[in-house]
Amino acid sequence: MPFSGLSERVAAIRETVGAAVKRGGHGQHVEIVAVTKTYGPEAVEAAWQAGLTTVGENRVQEALDKMAQVTVPVRWHLIGHLQRNKARHVERFDLVHSVDSVRLAQAVDEVGERRARPVPVLIQVNTTGEETKGGFSLTELADQVSVLGALGGLEVRGVMTMAPLGADEAMLRRAFRGAREAREVLQRHGLDAPELSMGMSGDFEVAVEEGATMIRLGTILFGARD
Ligand SMILES: *Cc1c(COP(=O)(O)O)cnc(C)c1O
């Protein structure tokens, strides 16, 4: 049986998350996004059987292929970089975590305007100055928040971040607190933006302590990817 023991792992993760919420003191609800990238449709089915109702994919085409092959009614989140010329595919997702530039926001906005229903998105931020990673810095976000907020085809639900690879705990906390500040920038602008998507298999405990409302877990659920 593929992914055996998944339910038990989910139960253990939920306990860890519950303890981290207590320690962190933010009192938030935490949703687990099961990251099924590189795994086949059977990983999506297994996630559903284990009580995980949201899956995350980082590539549009891989996600569309998988959507065509599963029957369980999971919610699909796009968590990876989206090219503007693929923006129309956001219609197939319940949430796009990775709006990392104004130009992409505008392309997604057009989709929302055209269908007359705003596209739910998170704004990806990179608050530690890591060169290789996309996303808004805090200064850029403060500069652009009125532009983002004025896009009627977008429903800005919050912020997403990825901590630098191999970061120590101090750096992790800096990255996650930066994302929380970014969410405050959105909220001060009047946006109803409750979500903080941060934390992966290696750092989700710290992320939850810092207020994560969505954690994106792959390896810890399904095993190492090739
Ligand atoms: C792959 C991926 C994850 C999950 O990473 P794990 O370390 O396997 O938990 C989370 N977020 C994004 C954006 C990813 O691409």
Side-chain angles (χ1 to χ4, degrees), residues 33-39 56-59 78-81 97-98 124 160-162 165 197 199-204 215-225:
V33 178
V35 177
T36 44
K37 67 181 183 197
T38 78
Y39 286 102
E57 286 283 334
N58 72 333
R59 292 158 136 223
L78 182 65
I79 62 173
H81 176 68
H97 290 228
S98 42
Q124 185 172 349
M160 179 273 235
T161 204
M162 285 171 85
L165 214 69
S197 167
M200 311 185 1
S201 292
D203 57 19
F204 73 92
I215 53 178
R216 308 177 309 266
L217 304 181
T219 314
I220 196 174
L221 294 172
F222 303 112
R225 292 178 293 270

Side-chain angles (χ1 to χ4, degrees), residues 82-92 107-108 111 114:
L82 174 65
Q83 289 167 303
R84 269 179 300 141
N85 63 6
K86 292 196 177 156
R88 66 185 184 281
H89 296 300
V90 299
E91 296 211 63
R92 305 291 306 277
V108 175
V111 179
R114 213 178 307 130

